[in-house]
Amino acid sequence: MNYLLYIDPGSGSLLIQAIIAAIVGALFYFKNAWFYVKNFFVKLFKKSTSNQQSEL
Amino acid sequence: MSSTSPSVIAGSYKDPAGFVFTQNKEIYRQINQDYSAAYETIKSSGLFEKLWEKRWLVKHIEANDVIADTSLHYKTLKAEKIPMITYPYEWSFLMFRKAAVFTLELQEFCLSQGFSLKDATPFNVQFIGTDPVWIDTLSFEPADPSKPWIAYQQFLQTQLYPLLVHESNPSLKFDLLLQNLNGIKADLTATLLPRRKKLSLSYWMYVYLAKAVNKHTADGTTQKAASPAFTLQKQLNILRHLKSYVQSLKAPSLKVSWKNYYQNHIETAAYTEEKLRLLKEYIPFTETHQFGLDLGANTGKYSDLLHEKNYYVLSSDFDINCIDEYYTQCHKNNKKSIQPFLFDLAHPTPAVGFANEERSSISERLSGKVKITLALALIHHLRVTYNLPLHKVAAYFANITEELIIEFVPQTDAKYMALTAHRSDTFPDYTEINFEKAFGDFFQLHQKSVVKPSQRVLYYLKKK
């Protein structure tokens, strides 16, 4: 028997969305963190090159 | 003026909030009392105006004196007309993807305004030229950020899964939606995807998880879970991630394609030039932006010509890759009044849904609509490849269009010979005289020229 016909179309998806929100939230968190780390080094690098230039 | 009685559009009667009907060739949407509070909240919020400004929602004005069903009636809206209704299974991959991204962006915008979409089916999207627009004015409701998106699963089943399936099975096109207007289930999607596609986190989240939970719930082993607390940020995160996933999907390229036809084949420069010259002379300029239909548009060379003559161009081909390419080109070059869509003359879209009425056939939608149709280098395919009698083809064209520019490809033509090279059957009825006789039953000859240096003949016919 196909029970699927009797299921509220959203009932599974609510739970799933909670799980996905957690994963995606973590993904974005790490992406952001990576962005800051990268930015820190980019800035550092730029600073050192601009320092070099000013020294010239 | 005497008015005709209202006729309810069958695809719209499932929604308790209201329904669409036509009267005196105008499109109306009745709002039922069920939806009165939501409608007033949305109206006073200015959401409609903001969406109109972006051209994201079909326009409407209130026309409360037109009533289709008094027992439920709250208000009536008179809606702006869409030039040509096409359905998702008539879109190319990139058009479908555009509609999906548009749906997610619309939901994101709605959330920023305190509202949410309660439907996310691609049947609520139509194309005006190359731009998607949302046509269901009653899809909006005040958002409740503590709850997840109600239309999430519908979005997956009707938009994401068809895209995933198409990406890996391009020959299926979007035909699975024809079989089920409510979309494709996660388990079917999973069986249609190759193993290498299943190695991504996105697949796991949007397909595998849905499949697993469906199975689990279907086994009757879980009670309905209490809704976990949700936040607006969580919803936005999911929407943004879904959007980047959808955008990462690539249009597949089919091996068999007509797109190189012009580059690789017969057509000498002299022939093409002469054909273009004749067409420029034949096709009349339209002041009123009438409909011009191009059958077998291919790279869109002649659709461009219709566009130059000020037609609203319905540019069709049976090759989904051609449509993809031409759609991209029109979008890039800002040709706003060219609408590409898939149309296989030998297998036109049927009417589907309950009572075969929810989504109409392509023939019904085109019937009596088109001012001028181009059917260039097509008739030999219809006669030989598809075995269609000339008279039947002529009758079909007469049902669609007022005027017809059609190119006859004689039996002596290299392309005709290539078609019949490996066939034992000959087509003795396929002659210029019989062609003229068949089409003469429905059309009057207006102009006729041989496209030199070939022996092909171009006819400009007008309906009797």
Side-chain angles (χ1 to χ4, degrees):
Chain A
M1 197 188 289
N2 187 357
Y3 293 100
L4 282 173
L5 293 174
Y6 300 97
I7 292 176
D8 158 29
S11 66
S13 82
L14 303 184
L15 182 66
I16 294 177
Q17 282 189 72
I19 300 171
I20 292 175
I23 299 170
V24 170
L27 273 181
F28 286 155
Y29 177 80
F30 286 118
K31 211 173 160 187
N32 264 343
W34 172 241
F35 177 76
Y36 282 119
V37 172
K38 207 169 83 176
N39 224 15
F40 173 76
F41 282 107
V42 168
K43 272 186 186 162
L44 202 71
F45 181 68
K46 269 192 181 160
K47 221 178 189 175
S48 62
T49 50
S50 62
N51 282 345
Q52 277 171 8
Q53 277 169 357
S54 63
E55 278 167 18
L56 286 171
Chain B
M1 194 175 77
S2 70
S3 71
T4 57
S5 59
S7 151
V8 176
I9 305 272
S12 74
Y13 51 51
K14 289 174 177 172
D15 187 1
F19 56 88
V20 181
F21 63 96
T22 57
Q23 192 169 6
N24 296 328
K25 294 186 176 172
E26 296 293 346
I27 310 277
Y28 296 94
R29 189 180 286 277
Q30 172 164 321
I31 300 172
N32 293 340
Q33 282 146 12
D34 249 25
Y35 192 68
S36 57
Y39 173 72
E40 291 304 336
T41 313
I42 295 162
K43 190 181 156 191
S44 59
S45 75
L47 179 70
F48 290 144
E49 284 79 5
K50 283 175 196 154
L51 292 173
W52 290 339
E53 206 177 303
K54 289 170 159 294
R55 294 171 187 269
W56 280 9
L57 176 69
V58 79
K59 285 191 174 167
H60 67 249
I61 47 168
E62 284 192 12
N64 296 322
D65 48 332
V66 188
I67 298 170
D69 183 344
T70 44
S71 66
L72 303 165
H73 184 260
Y74 175 66
K75 277 187 175 166
T76 307
L77 307 179
K78 184 177 162 192
E80 173 195 353
K81 275 189 192 165
I82 302 291
M84 169 71 188
I85 299 286
T86 56
Y87 296 127
Y89 33 75
E90 292 160 346
W91 301 342
S92 69
F93 184 87
L94 292 176
M95 293 172 80
F96 202 107
R97 198 181 71 180
K98 178 96 181 165
V101 170
F102 168 69
T103 307
L104 296 171
E105 284 175 346
L106 178 64
Q107 169 65 357
E108 207 179 322
F109 181 76
C110 286
L111 284 177
S112 74
Q113 304 294 310
F115 296 94
S116 181
L117 285 175
K118 58 188 168 81
D119 310 291
T121 160
F123 288 95
N124 279 343
V125 180
Q126 284 297 330
F127 281 89
I128 299 183
T130 53
D131 290 332
V133 62
W134 194 260
I135 56 162
D136 187 359
T137 315
L138 311 186
S139 289
F140 308 96
E141 62 181 9
D144 178 355
S146 70
K147 292 209 172 90
W149 186 21
I150 188 82
Y152 167 83
Q153 186 156 306
Q154 192 181 32
F155 178 83
L156 297 195
Q157 294 186 351
T158 57
Q159 305 213 49
L160 179 68
Y161 298 164
L163 276 168
L164 287 174
V165 168
H166 180 113
E167 194 196 24
S168 299
N169 309 270
S171 56
L172 278 180
K173 295 181 272 184
F174 293 107
D175 287 352
L176 286 176
L177 275 181
L178 252 178
Q179 292 173 27
N180 195 341
L181 299 173
N182 294 330
I184 312 171
K185 290 273 179 347
D187 49 357
L188 176 59
T189 307
T191 59
L192 290 169
L193 296 187
R195 209 166 283 162
R196 68 193 153 78
K197 291 278 175 196
K198 298 182 180 175
L199 296 172
S200 74
L201 178 64
S202 298
Y203 170 83
W204 188 85
M205 289 195 296
Y206 299 117
V207 186
Y208 178 79
L209 208 55
K211 191 180 126 187
V213 170
N214 271 347
K215 191 169 174 293
H216 203 47
T217 337
D219 290 344
T221 46
T222 44
Q223 296 296 314
K224 187 172 172 177
S227 300
F230 227 70
T231 61
L232 183 64
Q233 193 53 47
K234 283 182 181 174
Q235 269 214 49
L236 288 172
N237 281 351
I238 295 183
L239 284 175
R240 282 170 199 160
H241 188 264
L242 256 178
K243 192 171 122 183
S244 68
Y245 185 35
V246 170
Q247 280 171 328
S248 75
L249 303 175
K250 298 276 175 289
S253 56
L254 276 175
K255 293 260 177 337
V256 185
S257 171
W258 289 77
K259 41 182 215 204
N260 298 327
Y261 188 82
Y262 289 115
Q263 288 93 321
N264 299 347
H265 291 286
I266 52 147
E267 318 201 332
T268 61
Y271 160 80
T272 317
E273 219 167 273
E274 175 65 1
K275 188 160 152 184
L276 208 57
R277 187 190 69 78
L278 285 170
L279 285 169
K280 272 186 185 160
E281 185 191 312
Y282 283 6
I283 303 171
F285 188 85
T286 169
E287 294 290 344
T288 51
H289 223 45
Q290 288 165 300
F291 288 99
L293 171 66
D294 187 0
L295 297 168
N298 207 299
T299 58
K301 195 175 188 172
Y302 305 112
S303 292
D304 283 345
L305 191 58
L306 284 170
H307 181 253
E308 279 168 32
K309 300 271 188 177
N310 205 31
Y311 287 87
Y312 183 93
V313 187
L314 306 171
S315 179
S316 73
D317 204 288
F318 81 113
D319 183 337
I320 198 162
N321 288 338
C322 286
I323 298 299
D324 246 351
E325 205 141 296
Y326 191 50
Y327 172 76
T328 313
Q329 194 196 320
C330 290
H331 197 264
K332 210 164 62 189
N333 298 332
N334 219 13
K335 289 178 183 161
K336 292 280 181 200
S337 55
I338 300 180
Q339 187 176 344
F341 68 102
L342 265 179
F343 179 21
D344 185 347
L345 260 174
H347 305 100
T349 314
V352 291
F354 180 64
N356 291 97
E357 282 179 345
E358 278 183 62
R359 308 291 164 201
S360 57
S361 73
I362 184 74
S363 308
E364 193 185 329
R365 276 173 282 144
L366 284 173
S367 172
K369 191 180 193 83
V370 180
K371 173 68 179 171
I372 195 161
T373 296
L374 305 183
L376 306 174
L378 193 72
I379 191 74
H380 57 309
H381 288 292
L382 297 177
R383 180 67 199 98
V384 176
T385 315
Y386 296 110
N387 263 317
L388 302 169
L390 291 175
H391 199 263
K392 285 274 181 200
V393 175
Y396 187 72
F397 283 160
N399 182 38
I400 289 177
T401 188
E402 276 175 49
E403 299 178 2
L404 174 67
I405 296 181
I406 186 165
E407 184 179 20
F408 180 75
V409 179
Q411 295 220 8
T412 51
D413 192 276
K415 281 280 137 187
Y416 180 89
M417 290 197 273
L419 273 188
T420 50
H422 304 288
R423 298 180 65 136
S424 55
D425 44 351
T426 55
F427 297 85
D429 65 296
Y430 185 74
T431 63
E432 204 176 316
I433 294 169
N434 279 341
F435 170 84
E436 286 182 11
K437 217 172 124 218
F439 280 80
D441 281 350
F442 305 93
F443 294 93
Q444 240 166 2
L445 180 65
H446 190 62
Q447 268 172 300
K448 170 185 171 184
S449 311
V450 174
V451 190
K452 288 172 185 163
S454 79
Q455 288 173 309
R456 297 180 173 191
V457 191
L458 202 62
Y459 292 86
Y460 182 9
L461 309 171
K462 291 186 178 182
K463 214 159 101 175
K464 279 183 171 169

